[in-house]
Amino acid sequence: MSTDAVKRDENGCAAPLNGENKNFIELEIDKDLAEGVYDHVHTRFPPEPNGYLHIGHAKSILLNYGLAKEYGGKFNLRFDDTNPTKEKSEFVDAIIDNVRWLGADFGDRIYYASDYFDEMYEIAVKIIRKGHAYVSDLTADEMREYRGTLTEPGKNDPNRDRSVEENLDLFERMKNGEFADGEKTLRAKIDMASPNINMRDPIIYRVAHLSHQRTGDKWCIYPMYDFAHPIEDGIEHITHSICTLEFEDHRPLYDWVVREAEFEMPPRQIEFAKLYLNNVVTGKRYIKKLVEQNIVDGWDDPRIVSISGLRRRGFTPESIKMFVEMAGVSKSQAVNDYAALEYCIREDLKPKAPRMMAVLDPVKLVIDNYPQGQSEELEAPNNLENEALGSRKLTFSRELYIERDDFMAEPVPKYKRLYPGNEVRLMYAYFVTCTSYETDETGKVTVIHCTYDPATRGGDAPDGRKVKGTIHWVNAADAGTVTARLYENIIDEAKGVYDPETGELNLNPHSLTEVRAYVEPALLRAKPFDRFQFIRNGFFCVDCKDSKDGAPVYNRIVSLKSSFKLPKK
């Protein structure tokens, strides 16, 4: 969906202005409603609670919620908790928080697959009674051998023709715990010669003596995802099961299950292309490894594109919605540029974030002709693009800090900032001219000496003379010091995400740099998730985990420079 042809609800989600701008899912829903297949729209977001959500999940959340909102329907959050080996309540809590933060309003409509284990068992019994499922004795290796290949049909399971009575007995004994893990499975009886391997008598229940986080030890058999998921949709009266393209080949099995379960209003599965980003890590297996090896600071590390990590770094729900809309909804797989996500957060924060002065690599500047012991107050706007943010007072005196790269002893061609003999503007303050500088024994500049023109207060000269450079500063007498974290991609972009030989991640050893920065005093009072533009240094957010009252830690969300260009219309 194009960003210039959408209307938005109060949560920032998009709805088309007219039929011409509708995506293919909306057109299918329109058709279903017009033909009376459904008289309403009911969608869901069904994560497995085995890790934190990432940027790709944001697309599914906002798409499913946006469709329900657009058509005046309902939206469920449902946890597919059918695999107790990987699931944790920590992940459940994080997912609920992430979905709410993105603005997808599910109200009290939180459900769990485990809520339906009794119904799933009864549906499996119903299918056995129909003669459409059987208990198998094959091992996992034998199952693979019998399954066939993409070019060769499979072979029938030796147990495929067991009687209904025997299958019912064995399945109940599986439930009662009489068999070891892997000793028996329940398989759907479909077609071992099907060209779609997913339809070659797939397993729908396995024996697993595992304690479940919600049902405890009640069950020692658990349904497979492909069996459980359509049943969950059916029980919740989902109309449109919107999922990603890897489930397209599973759709015939989805339809088989809802048909065998005999739902009065069977849900319909529609697939769309995932949201992929270049040079980022989204796989839960890899993120888990980074967490367990303490390479990152948990699942919410700001270098990870988990929703929690993006939020902690300082991204806003609005910026993520903008990015999802920009990516669009289609059947075609495409890789999106991370620079597009950065573009969206810049666009969102430009009018919102106060613009403050912070010096990340400081060097002292002394104004030799400014009166000793004197100081004054200057007025500074908080955001020139948004007058509603008001202004603030800045203290100015003889000694300041400026950025080290705003001075060069021997300037390169076209250098417009401070160097011996050059005059520049101190932002909101005065014109100053460099007269000399001091260095240490290594030749590093330690102090820059200047003179100022008192007639240029506010940054303009009464004689009309112009300067080519403007630099920011902080007053040495009352500047605060904070930790600022500067991020690069956690992946070494020159090498790509994975090493082709080892499969290991190509990590960037410089993905995190911490500096002690001098800042305006007001920045010491900021609270977690407060966002600012540090003039010329980027947008920063107060870290929600490591900050303390009066001692905030600032994460750089994004620099001010962008290589991204909007696609031509």
Side-chain angles (χ1 to χ4, degrees), residues 279-281 290 294-298 301-305 313 338 342 484-493 505-515 540 554-558:
N279 289 318
V280 300
V281 182
L290 293 174
N294 296 316
I295 295 171
V296 297
D297 178 25
D301 188 287
R303 291 167 290 177
I304 296 174
V305 292
R313 184 156 171 173
Y338 186 81
E342 293 181 320
R485 292 171 174 165
L486 311 179
Y487 296 105
E488 295 179 11
N489 194 336
I490 197 169
I491 294 298
D492 186 334
E493 295 184 21
L505 294 170
N506 289 318
L507 297 177
N508 175 9
H510 308 295
S511 61
L512 170 61
T513 301
E514 288 192 353
V515 299
F540 285 75
Y554 281 92
N555 299 327
R556 183 155 68 183
I557 310 168
V558 66

CSV table of all heavy atoms in Angstrom, one decimal, residues 279-281 290 294-298 301-305 313 338 342 484-493 505-515 540 554-558:
chain,number,residue,atom,x,y,z
A,279,ASN,N,21.0,-7.7,5.9
A,279,ASN,CA,22.1,-7.6,6.9
A,279,ASN,C,21.6,-7.5,8.4
A,279,ASN,O,22.2,-6.7,9.1
A,279,ASN,CB,23.1,-6.5,6.6
A,279,ASN,CG,23.9,-6.8,5.3
A,279,ASN,OD1,24.4,-7.9,5.1
A,279,ASN,ND2,24.0,-5.8,4.5
A,280,VAL,N,20.6,-8.2,8.7
A,280,VAL,CA,20.1,-8.2,10.1
A,280,VAL,C,19.9,-9.6,10.5
A,280,VAL,O,19.7,-10.5,9.7
A,280,VAL,CB,18.8,-7.4,10.4
A,280,VAL,CG1,19.1,-5.9,10.0
A,280,VAL,CG2,17.7,-7.9,9.6
A,281,VAL,N,19.9,-9.9,11.8
A,281,VAL,CA,19.6,-11.2,12.4
A,281,VAL,C,18.2,-11.2,12.9
A,281,VAL,O,17.8,-10.4,13.8
A,281,VAL,CB,20.6,-11.5,13.5
A,281,VAL,CG1,20.3,-12.9,14.1
A,281,VAL,CG2,22.0,-11.4,13.1
A,290,LEU,N,23.2,-15.6,20.5
A,290,LEU,CA,23.9,-14.3,20.9
A,290,LEU,C,23.6,-14.0,22.4
A,290,LEU,O,24.4,-13.5,23.1
A,290,LEU,CB,23.3,-13.2,20.0
A,290,LEU,CG,23.7,-13.2,18.5
A,290,LEU,CD1,23.0,-12.1,17.8
A,290,LEU,CD2,25.2,-13.1,18.3
A,294,ASN,N,26.2,-14.2,25.8
A,294,ASN,CA,26.5,-12.8,26.3
A,294,ASN,C,27.1,-11.9,25.3
A,294,ASN,O,27.8,-10.9,25.7
A,294,ASN,CB,27.3,-12.8,27.6
A,294,ASN,CG,26.6,-13.6,28.7
A,294,ASN,OD1,25.4,-13.4,28.9
A,294,ASN,ND2,27.3,-14.4,29.4
A,295,ILE,N,26.9,-12.1,24.0
A,295,ILE,CA,27.4,-11.2,23.0
A,295,ILE,C,26.5,-10.0,22.9
A,295,ILE,O,27.0,-8.9,22.6
A,295,ILE,CB,27.4,-12.0,21.6
A,295,ILE,CG1,28.4,-13.1,21.7
A,295,ILE,CG2,27.7,-11.0,20.5
A,295,ILE,CD1,28.4,-14.0,20.5
A,296,VAL,N,25.2,-10.2,23.2
A,296,VAL,CA,24.3,-9.1,23.3
A,296,VAL,C,23.7,-9.0,24.7
A,296,VAL,O,23.7,-10.0,25.5
A,296,VAL,CB,23.2,-9.2,22.2
A,296,VAL,CG1,23.8,-9.1,20.9
A,296,VAL,CG2,22.4,-10.5,22.4
A,297,ASP,N,23.0,-7.9,25.0
A,297,ASP,CA,22.4,-7.7,26.3
A,297,ASP,C,21.0,-8.1,26.3
A,297,ASP,O,20.1,-7.3,26.5
A,297,ASP,CB,22.6,-6.2,26.6
A,297,ASP,CG,21.9,-5.8,28.0
A,297,ASP,OD1,21.8,-6.7,28.9
A,297,ASP,OD2,21.5,-4.7,28.1
A,298,GLY,N,20.8,-9.4,26.1
A,298,GLY,CA,19.4,-10.0,26.2
A,298,GLY,C,18.7,-9.8,24.9
A,298,GLY,O,19.2,-9.3,23.9
A,301,ASP,N,18.4,-6.3,23.3
A,301,ASP,CA,19.5,-5.5,23.0
A,301,ASP,C,19.2,-4.6,21.8
A,301,ASP,O,18.6,-5.0,20.8
A,301,ASP,CB,20.7,-6.4,22.6
A,301,ASP,CG,22.0,-5.7,22.4
A,301,ASP,OD1,22.2,-5.0,21.4
A,301,ASP,OD2,22.9,-5.8,23.3
A,302,PRO,N,19.6,-3.3,21.9
A,302,PRO,CA,19.3,-2.3,20.8
A,302,PRO,C,19.9,-2.6,19.5
A,302,PRO,O,19.5,-2.0,18.5
A,302,PRO,CB,19.8,-1.0,21.4
A,302,PRO,CG,19.8,-1.2,22.9
A,302,PRO,CD,20.2,-2.6,23.1
A,303,ARG,N,20.8,-3.6,19.4
A,303,ARG,CA,21.4,-3.9,18.1
A,303,ARG,C,20.6,-5.0,17.4
A,303,ARG,O,20.9,-5.3,16.2
A,303,ARG,CB,22.9,-4.4,18.3
A,303,ARG,CG,23.8,-3.4,18.8
A,303,ARG,CD,25.2,-3.9,19.2
A,303,ARG,NE,25.0,-4.6,20.5
A,303,ARG,CZ,25.9,-5.3,21.2
A,303,ARG,NH1,27.2,-5.4,20.6
A,303,ARG,NH2,25.7,-5.9,22.3
A,304,ILE,N,19.7,-5.6,18.1
A,304,ILE,CA,18.8,-6.6,17.5
A,304,ILE,C,17.5,-6.0,17.0
A,304,ILE,O,17.0,-5.1,17.7
A,304,ILE,CB,18.5,-7.7,18.5
A,304,ILE,CG1,19.8,-8.4,19.0
A,304,ILE,CG2,17.5,-8.7,18.0
A,304,ILE,CD1,19.7,-9.4,20.1
A,305,VAL,N,17.0,-6.5,15.9
A,305,VAL,CA,15.7,-5.9,15.4
A,305,VAL,C,14.5,-6.7,16.0
A,305,VAL,O,13.5,-6.8,15.3
A,305,VAL,CB,15.7,-5.9,13.8
A,305,VAL,CG1,16.7,-4.9,13.3
A,305,VAL,CG2,15.9,-7.3,13.2
A,313,ARG,N,16.0,0.9,21.8
A,313,ARG,CA,16.9,1.7,21.1
A,313,ARG,C,16.3,3.1,20.9
A,313,ARG,O,17.0,4.1,20.8
A,313,ARG,CB,17.3,1.1,19.7
A,313,ARG,CG,18.3,1.9,19.0
A,313,ARG,CD,19.1,1.1,18.0
A,313,ARG,NE,19.9,1.8,17.1
A,313,ARG,CZ,20.8,1.3,16.3
A,313,ARG,NH1,20.9,0.0,16.3
A,313,ARG,NH2,21.5,2.0,15.5
A,338,TYR,N,17.6,-1.8,5.3
A,338,TYR,CA,17.6,-1.3,6.7
A,338,TYR,C,17.5,0.3,6.7
A,338,TYR,O,16.9,0.9,7.6
A,338,TYR,CB,18.8,-1.8,7.5
A,338,TYR,CG,18.7,-1.4,9.0
A,338,TYR,CD1,17.9,-2.1,9.9
A,338,TYR,CD2,19.4,-0.3,9.5
A,338,TYR,CE1,17.8,-1.8,11.2
A,338,TYR,CE2,19.3,0.0,10.8
A,338,TYR,CZ,18.5,-0.7,11.7
A,338,TYR,OH,18.5,-0.4,13.0
A,342,GLU,N,15.5,3.3,8.9
A,342,GLU,CA,16.1,4.4,9.5
A,342,GLU,C,15.4,5.7,9.0
A,342,GLU,O,15.3,6.7,9.7
A,342,GLU,CB,17.6,4.4,9.2
A,342,GLU,CG,18.4,3.3,9.9
A,342,GLU,CD,19.8,3.4,9.6
A,342,GLU,OE1,20.2,3.7,8.5
A,342,GLU,OE2,20.6,3.1,10.5
A,484,ALA,N,26.9,7.7,26.4
A,484,ALA,CA,26.2,7.7,25.1
A,484,ALA,C,26.7,6.4,24.3
A,484,ALA,O,27.9,6.1,24.2
A,484,ALA,CB,26.5,8.9,24.2
A,485,ARG,N,25.8,5.6,23.9
A,485,ARG,CA,26.1,4.4,23.1
A,485,ARG,C,25.9,4.6,21.6
A,485,ARG,O,24.8,5.0,21.2
A,485,ARG,CB,25.2,3.3,23.6
A,485,ARG,CG,25.5,2.8,25.1
A,485,ARG,CD,24.4,1.9,25.6
A,485,ARG,NE,24.8,1.4,26.9
A,485,ARG,CZ,24.0,0.8,27.7
A,485,ARG,NH1,22.7,0.6,27.3
A,485,ARG,NH2,24.4,0.3,28.9
A,486,LEU,N,26.9,4.3,20.9
A,486,LEU,CA,26.9,4.5,19.4
A,486,LEU,C,26.9,3.1,18.8
A,486,LEU,O,27.8,2.3,19.1
A,486,LEU,CB,28.1,5.3,19.0
A,486,LEU,CG,28.4,6.6,19.8
A,486,LEU,CD1,29.6,7.3,19.2
A,486,LEU,CD2,27.1,7.6,19.7
A,487,TYR,N,25.9,2.9,18.0
A,487,TYR,CA,25.7,1.5,17.4
A,487,TYR,C,26.1,1.5,15.9
A,487,TYR,O,25.8,2.4,15.2
A,487,TYR,CB,24.3,1.1,17.6
A,487,TYR,CG,23.8,1.0,19.0
A,487,TYR,CD1,23.0,1.9,19.6
A,487,TYR,CD2,24.3,-0.1,19.8
A,487,TYR,CE1,22.6,1.8,20.9
A,487,TYR,CE2,23.9,-0.3,21.1
A,487,TYR,CZ,23.1,0.7,21.7
A,487,TYR,OH,22.7,0.6,23.0
A,488,GLU,N,26.6,0.4,15.6
A,488,GLU,CA,26.8,0.0,14.2
A,488,GLU,C,26.0,-1.4,14.0
A,488,GLU,O,25.6,-2.0,15.0
A,488,GLU,CB,28.2,-0.2,13.8
A,488,GLU,CG,29.1,1.0,13.8
A,488,GLU,CD,30.5,0.7,13.4
A,488,GLU,OE1,30.8,-0.4,12.9
A,488,GLU,OE2,31.4,1.6,13.6
A,489,ASN,N,25.9,-1.8,12.8
A,489,ASN,CA,25.2,-3.1,12.5
A,489,ASN,C,26.0,-4.2,13.3
A,489,ASN,O,27.2,-4.2,13.3
A,489,ASN,CB,25.2,-3.4,11.0
A,489,ASN,CG,24.2,-4.5,10.7
A,489,ASN,OD1,23.9,-5.4,11.5
A,489,ASN,ND2,23.7,-4.5,9.5
A,490,ILE,N,25.3,-5.1,14.0
A,490,ILE,CA,25.9,-6.2,14.7
A,490,ILE,C,26.5,-7.2,13.7
A,490,ILE,O,27.4,-7.9,14.0
A,490,ILE,CB,24.9,-6.9,15.6
A,490,ILE,CG1,25.7,-7.7,16.6
A,490,ILE,CG2,23.9,-7.7,14.8
A,490,ILE,CD1,24.8,-8.3,17.7
A,491,ILE,N,26.1,-7.1,12.4
A,491,ILE,CA,26.6,-7.9,11.4
A,491,ILE,C,27.7,-7.2,10.6
A,491,ILE,O,27.6,-6.0,10.3
A,491,ILE,CB,25.5,-8.4,10.4
A,491,ILE,CG1,24.5,-9.3,11.1
A,491,ILE,CG2,26.1,-9.1,9.2
A,491,ILE,CD1,25.1,-10.6,11.6
A,492,ASP,N,28.8,-7.8,10.3
A,492,ASP,CA,29.8,-7.3,9.4
A,492,ASP,C,29.3,-7.3,8.0
A,492,ASP,O,29.2,-8.3,7.3
A,492,ASP,CB,31.1,-8.1,9.5
A,492,ASP,CG,32.3,-7.5,8.7
A,492,ASP,OD1,32.0,-6.7,7.7
A,492,ASP,OD2,33.4,-7.8,9.0
A,493,GLU,N,28.8,-6.1,7.5
A,493,GLU,CA,28.1,-6.0,6.3
A,493,GLU,C,28.9,-6.4,5.1
A,493,GLU,O,28.4,-6.9,4.1
A,493,GLU,CB,27.5,-4.6,6.1
A,493,GLU,CG,26.5,-4.3,7.1
A,493,GLU,CD,25.8,-2.9,6.9
A,493,GLU,OE1,25.9,-2.4,5.7
A,493,GLU,OE2,25.3,-2.3,7.8
A,505,LEU,N,27.4,-16.6,12.4
A,505,LEU,CA,27.2,-15.2,12.1
A,505,LEU,C,28.5,-14.5,12.0
A,505,LEU,O,29.5,-14.7,12.7
A,505,LEU,CB,26.4,-14.5,13.2
A,505,LEU,CG,24.9,-15.0,13.4
A,505,LEU,CD1,24.3,-14.4,14.7
A,505,LEU,CD2,24.1,-14.7,12.2
A,506,ASN,N,28.6,-13.6,11.0
A,506,ASN,CA,29.7,-12.7,10.8
A,506,ASN,C,29.5,-11.5,11.6
A,506,ASN,O,28.8,-10.5,11.2
A,506,ASN,CB,29.9,-12.3,9.3
A,506,ASN,CG,30.4,-13.5,8.5
A,506,ASN,OD1,31.3,-14.3,8.9
A,506,ASN,ND2,29.8,-13.7,7.3
A,507,LEU,N,30.1,-11.4,12.8
A,507,LEU,CA,29.8,-10.4,13.8
A,507,LEU,C,30.7,-9.2,13.6
A,507,LEU,O,31.9,-9.4,13.3
A,507,LEU,CB,29.9,-10.9,15.2
A,507,LEU,CG,28.8,-12.0,15.6
A,507,LEU,CD1,29.1,-12.4,17.0
A,507,LEU,CD2,27.4,-11.4,15.4
A,508,ASN,N,30.2,-8.0,13.8
A,508,ASN,CA,31.0,-6.8,13.7
A,508,ASN,C,31.5,-6.5,15.1
A,508,ASN,O,30.7,-6.2,16.0
A,508,ASN,CB,30.1,-5.6,13.2
A,508,ASN,CG,30.8,-4.3,13.2
A,508,ASN,OD1,32.0,-4.2,13.5
A,508,ASN,ND2,30.0,-3.2,13.0
A,509,PRO,N,32.9,-6.5,15.3
A,509,PRO,CA,33.4,-6.2,16.7
A,509,PRO,C,33.2,-4.8,17.1
A,509,PRO,O,33.4,-4.5,18.3
A,509,PRO,CB,34.9,-6.6,16.5
A,509,PRO,CG,35.2,-6.4,15.1
A,509,PRO,CD,33.9,-6.8,14.3
A,510,HIS,N,32.8,-3.9,16.2
A,510,HIS,CA,32.6,-2.5,16.6
A,510,HIS,C,31.1,-2.1,16.6
A,510,HIS,O,30.8,-0.9,16.4
A,510,HIS,CB,33.4,-1.6,15.6
A,510,HIS,CG,34.8,-2.0,15.4
A,510,HIS,ND1,35.7,-1.9,16.4
A,510,HIS,CD2,35.5,-2.5,14.3
A,510,HIS,CE1,36.9,-2.3,16.0
A,510,HIS,NE2,36.8,-2.7,14.7
A,511,SER,N,30.3,-3.1,16.9
A,511,SER,CA,28.8,-2.8,16.8
A,511,SER,C,28.4,-1.9,17.9
A,511,SER,O,27.3,-1.3,17.9
A,511,SER,CB,28.0,-4.1,16.8
A,511,SER,OG,28.3,-4.8,18.0
A,512,LEU,N,29.2,-1.8,19.0
A,512,LEU,CA,28.8,-0.9,20.2
A,512,LEU,C,30.0,-0.2,20.6
A,512,LEU,O,31.1,-0.8,20.9
A,512,LEU,CB,28.2,-1.7,21.3
A,512,LEU,CG,28.0,-1.0,22.6
A,512,LEU,CD1,27.0,0.1,22.5
A,512,LEU,CD2,27.6,-2.0,23.7
A,513,THR,N,29.9,1.1,20.7
A,513,THR,CA,31.0,2.0,21.3
A,513,THR,C,30.3,2.9,22.3
A,513,THR,O,29.3,3.5,22.1
A,513,THR,CB,31.6,2.9,20.2
A,513,THR,OG1,32.2,2.1,19.2
A,513,THR,CG2,32.7,3.8,20.8
A,514,GLU,N,30.9,2.9,23.5
A,514,GLU,CA,30.4,3.8,24.6
A,514,GLU,C,31.3,5.0,24.8
A,514,GLU,O,32.6,4.8,24.8
A,514,GLU,CB,30.2,3.0,25.9
A,514,GLU,CG,29.1,2.0,25.9
A,514,GLU,CD,28.8,1.5,27.3
A,514,GLU,OE1,29.6,1.8,28.2
A,514,GLU,OE2,27.8,0.8,27.4
A,515,VAL,N,30.8,6.2,24.9
A,515,VAL,CA,31.6,7.4,25.1
A,515,VAL,C,31.0,8.1,26.3
A,515,VAL,O,29.8,8.0,26.6
A,515,VAL,CB,31.6,8.3,23.8
A,515,VAL,CG1,32.3,7.5,22.7
A,515,VAL,CG2,30.3,8.8,23.5
A,540,PHE,N,18.7,10.4,19.7
A,540,PHE,CA,19.1,9.5,20.9
A,540,PHE,C,17.9,9.3,21.7
A,540,PHE,O,16.9,10.1,21.8
A,540,PHE,CB,20.2,10.2,21.7
A,540,PHE,CG,21.6,10.1,21.1
A,540,PHE,CD1,21.9,10.9,20.0
A,540,PHE,CD2,22.5,9.3,21.6
A,540,PHE,CE1,23.1,10.9,19.4
A,540,PHE,CE2,23.8,9.2,21.0
A,540,PHE,CZ,24.1,10.0,19.9
A,554,TYR,N,22.3,7.1,27.1
A,554,TYR,CA,21.6,7.5,25.8
A,554,TYR,C,22.0,6.5,24.7
A,554,TYR,O,23.2,6.3,24.5
A,554,TYR,CB,22.0,8.9,25.4
A,554,TYR,CG,21.2,10.0,26.1
A,554,TYR,CD1,21.7,10.5,27.3
A,554,TYR,CD2,20.0,10.4,25.7
A,554,TYR,CE1,21.0,11.5,28.0
A,554,TYR,CE2,19.2,11.4,26.3
A,554,TYR,CZ,19.7,11.9,27.5
A,554,TYR,OH,19.0,12.9,28.1
A,555,ASN,N,21.0,5.9,24.1
A,555,ASN,CA,21.2,5.1,22.9
A,555,ASN,C,21.0,5.9,21.6
A,555,ASN,O,20.0,6.6,21.5
A,555,ASN,CB,20.2,3.9,22.9
A,555,ASN,CG,20.3,3.0,24.1
A,555,ASN,OD1,21.4,2.8,24.6
A,555,ASN,ND2,19.2,2.5,24.5
A,556,ARG,N,22.0,5.8,20.7
A,556,ARG,CA,21.8,6.5,19.5
A,556,ARG,C,20.8,5.7,18.6
A,556,ARG,O,21.1,4.5,18.3
A,556,ARG,CB,23.1,6.8,18.7
A,556,ARG,CG,22.8,7.5,17.4
A,556,ARG,CD,24.0,8.3,16.9
A,556,ARG,NE,25.0,7.5,16.4
A,556,ARG,CZ,26.2,8.0,15.9
A,556,ARG,NH1,26.4,9.3,15.9
A,556,ARG,NH2,27.1,7.1,15.5
A,557,ILE,N,19.7,6.2,18.3
A,557,ILE,CA,18.7,5.6,17.5
A,557,ILE,C,19.2,5.5,16.1
A,557,ILE,O,19.2,4.4,15.4
A,557,ILE,CB,17.3,6.3,17.5
A,557,ILE,CG1,16.9,6.6,19.0
A,557,ILE,CG2,16.3,5.5,16.8
A,557,ILE,CD1,15.8,7.6,19.0
A,558,VAL,N,19.6,6.6,15.6
A,558,VAL,CA,20.0,6.7,14.2
A,558,VAL,C,20.8,8.0,14.0
A,558,VAL,O,20.6,9.0,14.7
A,558,VAL,CB,18.8,6.7,13.2
A,558,VAL,CG1,17.9,7.9,13.5
A,558,VAL,CG2,19.1,6.5,11.8
